[in-house]
Amino acid sequence: MTVAADERVAHVGLARRLLIRPELGAVVGMVVVFAFFAAQSPVFRSPDGIANWLDPAATLGIMAVAVALLMIGGEFDLSAGVLTGTSGLILVTLATRFGFNVWLAMLVGLVVALAVGLANGLVVTRTKLPSFIVTLGTFLMLQGVNLGVTKAITGTVQVSGLRRASGFEGANTILAGTIQVGGTSFRVAILWWVLVTAVATWVLMRSKAGNWIFAVGGNEQAARAVGVPAARTKIALFMTTAFAAWLVGSILALRYTSVQANIGIGQEFIYIIAAVIGGCLLTGGYGSAIGAAIGAVIFGMADKGIVFLGWDADWFTFFLGGMLLLATLANRLVRRYAEEVRH
Amino acid sequence: MILETRGIGKTFGSVLALRDVSMGVAAGQVVCVLGDNGAGKSTLIKILAGVHQHDAGALLVDGAEVRFSSPRDALDRGIATVYQDLAMIPLMSVWRNFFLGSEPTKGLAFDVAKARRVAREELRAMGIDIRDVDQPVGTLSGGERQSVAIARAVHFGARVLILDEPTSALGVKQAGVVLRYIARARDRGLGVVFITHNPHHAYPVGDRFLLLNRGTSMGEYAKADITPQALTALMAGGAELEELAHELKRQ
């Protein structure tokens, strides 16, 4: 009996294990998209081209990975995009108008971002309201604050001049600089993205917290019943997303040395799209950080690839929508397969 | 007695959910709690499990009065609860579910290799035939899921196992599988509180039977003192059944 059971493992187990990897669809998508653009554009497949499309993938990817963790935990954060703007605005405003050192201004930005994440998490876990609505509220409020405060201080809708602030050079090198690899300069943000993805993957797959994240997203009540601190896990996830928003906001502010008051609006959906293409279920409990990072790569390749081919950039969103639908369909099949009950 | 209640009660606002219920479970004993819907079964087990706190009577563990602050608190005292519908997380693998909330660690990391190995060994020790501990729990049958949850509770040193309607959603064969694991847990020296509304499942495995109706106890019987027929009749409210039979009789 036992021997027979073990033989079934060898056959069913391996195939199933490969098939139900959440990032499988994204990997296939990435290969197809790369082959498509690389076949038609020599620039796209050159080191310079790769550096070019890895850049948008990196800043999006940092956010997508954090948002993926949150989605696996069963929640959304629509305020994440605007929060990148808020973090950047705080950095540039404090450094240029109030004489803060860049590092200190970044620290203040971090504290504010984490406070927003904490507030999101507390409201969602205490009230049990859908995070979609709660963070939509935060999103609109932050959007108003970003515009209102920026206008009140500068009289315009942007703050600029970060280059002259003290501590700019160091912060710029670490967060927004470039590194040379074989004569091609890559944005240092790519390294941050790889680091964030690696840490997130480790947490998800190899830590207690990772087990809790899957559990609170899969079935919060069941998780609570076996002693998982569900509220704390969710609050930590909202704060992780806020941390990522601060990191990306700071990277972009240091790179461009100025920030528009309306930056980040609409990005929240791009993060969710990348996470879903990477295999996250909208209903939570399933997904992968690497998948979300790959979703961001697909986004970056399509974003720049369309330009390299000389196509009208308007077609980009059409492409993005198609990818999203395909990914969602693939995910549904996977989930059915994983959840099918054996009778 | 490991776990005991004395005249325990609970109200929700103006609703008297449970009133003056006394019961106890000793090691190696199966106590069945029987009652129709709304009889107070869920309220009673939620008090035993630490989900709700009683507001009348006393709850005792090893003869000392206690008040559980949370399910975790109850668990730490060796009272483990397996719920009917929320025992497992379908999309997570068997081994992740098995150790959920009590993950073994190696330094900072979740000791994944150990979790896989121990889950496999424990399931085998309970005689549960799971093909692959990496498969999502959603691919298991209802009976297998309950069995994994029971094995988990046994592994984590539960002294009392509270089972909330583990057989109610199952077919005859699957229910038999679960009843067998209940017996096995009992033989390993655990006290079992088995909640059900099915006397046919309760009678073969139970040592004592507590009957609840409308939030209060209708008596506690040892197996020797009651027949399966009497148990069924009591549970359904014998008089009501007769009335119903009379009412439905062809004119």
Side-chain angles (χ1 to χ4, degrees):
Chain A
M1 188 68 205
T2 325
V3 177
D6 283 347
E7 276 169 8
R8 278 181 294 169
V9 173
H11 296 295
V12 183
L14 185 67
R16 186 183 285 272
R17 224 169 296 165
L18 280 177
L19 261 174
I20 67 170
R21 290 303 310 156
E23 56 277 85
L24 179 79
V27 171
V28 172
M30 177 174 69
V31 171
V32 170
V33 173
F34 179 81
F36 176 79
F37 286 113
Q40 300 178 64
S41 161
V43 189
F44 185 86
R45 57 178 190 261
S46 72
D48 281 331
I50 292 171
N52 192 287
W53 53 254
L54 275 182
D55 177 34
T59 45
L60 167 63
I62 292 170
M63 289 309 296
V65 166
V67 165
L69 293 190
L70 182 67
M71 283 176 68
I72 295 169
E75 303 293 345
F76 291 101
D77 187 354
L78 298 186
S79 68
V82 175
L83 191 57
T84 64
T86 307
S87 308
L89 286 167
I90 290 172
L91 163 56
V92 180
T93 307
L94 289 181
T96 59
R97 309 275 153 163
F98 297 92
F100 278 51
N101 178 281
V102 166
W103 293 103
L104 186 60
M106 275 173 61
L107 186 66
V108 175
L110 177 61
V111 171
V112 173
L114 290 178
V116 171
L118 178 66
N120 277 338
L122 281 176
V123 174
V124 168
T125 52
R126 291 277 163 86
T127 63
K128 315 272 181 218
L129 286 171
S131 53
F132 199 88
I133 295 301
V134 171
T135 59
L136 183 60
T138 323
F139 163 52
L140 293 171
M141 285 165 70
L142 284 178
Q143 187 182 351
V145 168
N146 284 2
L147 259 173
V149 174
T150 308
K151 269 188 178 167
I153 291 177
T154 67
T156 66
V157 291
Q158 70 159 6
V159 282
S160 50
L162 189 60
R163 196 177 297 281
R164 293 184 300 275
S166 69
F168 172 79
E169 287 306 325
N172 184 63
T173 308
I174 290 173
L175 288 175
T178 55
I179 37 169
Q180 299 295 320
V181 181
T184 310
S185 58
F186 288 86
R187 288 282 186 182
V188 77
I190 296 167
L191 285 183
W192 285 104
W193 168 48
V194 171
L195 182 70
V196 166
T197 309
V199 170
T201 301
W202 185 85
V203 167
L204 211 47
M205 305 308 291
R206 288 288 179 271
S207 80
K208 288 172 86 153
N211 219 30
W212 298 348
I213 292 169
F214 281 115
V216 295
N219 185 339
E220 189 176 347
Q221 271 182 298
R224 212 183 295 254
V226 293
V228 171
R232 259 198 295 148
T233 304
K234 287 196 169 179
I235 291 170
L237 287 173
F238 277 107
M239 292 179 74
T240 304
T241 309
F243 174 84
W246 165 80
L247 182 59
V248 170
S250 301
I251 288 173
L252 294 177
L254 286 162
R255 184 183 297 176
Y256 300 118
T257 70
S258 70
V259 180
Q260 300 284 331
N262 66 351
I263 199 166
I265 294 169
Q267 289 296 303
E268 57 285 337
F269 283 112
I270 306 286
Y271 309 150
I272 293 173
I273 289 167
V276 169
I277 289 176
C280 285
L281 287 177
L282 285 170
T283 43
Y286 193 77
S288 112
I290 292 180
I294 293 172
V297 172
I298 293 176
F299 178 94
M301 289 197 294
D303 188 22
K304 298 293 179 184
I306 285 174
V307 177
F308 286 151
L309 292 190
W311 290 1
D312 191 339
D314 296 346
W315 286 95
F316 175 62
T317 53
F318 176 85
F319 169 86
L320 199 62
M323 279 302 300
L324 180 66
L325 277 181
L326 276 176
T328 319
L329 278 171
N331 289 350
R332 194 181 62 155
L333 290 178
V334 167
R335 184 192 161 127
R336 284 235 179 110
Y337 189 54
E339 273 199 326
E340 76 177 2
V341 176
R342 189 168 65 88
H343 291 289
Chain B
M1 292 288 166
I2 306 175
L3 184 64
E4 197 178 349
T5 68
R6 288 189 191 147
I8 215 160
K10 172 82 185 167
T11 51
F12 294 101
S14 60
V15 180
L16 259 171
L18 201 66
R19 166 163 55 100
D20 196 23
V21 172
S22 298
M23 61 159 297
V25 59
Q29 193 183 45
V30 179
V31 175
C32 299
V33 178
L34 291 127
D36 210 347
N37 295 336
K41 299 189 303 273
S42 316
T43 310
L44 177 63
I45 61 150
K46 279 181 177 159
I47 292 170
L48 298 180
V51 176
H52 292 326
Q53 294 200 348
H54 54 287
D55 39 35
L59 179 64
L60 296 91
V61 174
D62 300 319
E65 202 172 331
V66 293
R67 187 169 273 277
F68 297 144
S69 57
S70 68
R72 184 81 243 178
D73 189 15
L75 211 54
D76 290 341
R77 293 171 196 267
I79 319 289
T81 310
V82 175
Y83 293 95
Q84 173 192 0
D85 46 354
L86 39 80
M88 293 273 149
I89 295 165
L91 283 166
M92 289 172 75
S93 64
V94 171
W95 62 268
R96 278 189 181 275
N97 267 289
F98 196 94
F99 283 99
L100 184 59
S102 314
E103 294 83 358
T105 50
K106 199 174 177 180
L108 276 174
F110 177 8
D111 192 345
V112 169
K114 184 178 174 191
R116 276 208 184 89
R117 180 171 48 78
V118 174
R120 197 176 295 126
E121 285 168 4
E122 280 293 323
L123 291 172
R124 204 159 283 169
M126 284 287 284
I128 300 166
D129 172 34
I130 297 283
R131 287 160 299 169
D132 175 8
V133 290
D134 275 309
Q135 72 190 96
V137 157
T139 61
L140 303 180
S141 68
E144 284 176 327
R145 262 186 255 191
Q146 291 287 342
S147 308
V148 172
I150 293 171
R152 172 172 70 182
V154 172
H155 171 73
F156 285 109
R159 295 186 298 148
V160 173
L161 197 56
I162 301 170
L163 303 169
D164 179 18
E165 305 258 6
T167 56
S168 68
L170 304 179
V172 177
K173 215 171 168 185
Q174 291 283 334
V177 170
V178 173
L179 291 176
R180 217 162 285 141
Y181 295 129
I182 292 175
R184 206 173 297 222
R186 175 200 63 199
D187 295 343
R188 284 176 74 161
L190 276 83
V192 179
V193 179
F194 174 24
I195 290 90
T196 179
H197 58 246
N198 190 333
H200 304 296
H201 290 161
Y203 197 80
V205 75
D207 296 308
R208 300 189 65 80
F209 306 92
L210 171 72
L211 283 126
L212 293 180
N213 191 28
R214 303 175 68 83
T216 190
S217 171
M218 301 200 312
E220 197 187 353
Y221 302 87
K223 194 169 199 163
D225 302 336
I226 197 164
T227 62
Q229 291 76 19
L231 194 64
T232 313
L234 261 174
M235 217 214 98
E240 283 168 41
L241 259 188
E242 271 172 38
E243 237 172 67
L244 187 67
H246 184 74
E247 200 182 310
L248 297 177
K249 210 162 58 184
R250 290 173 191 282
Q251 297 296 325

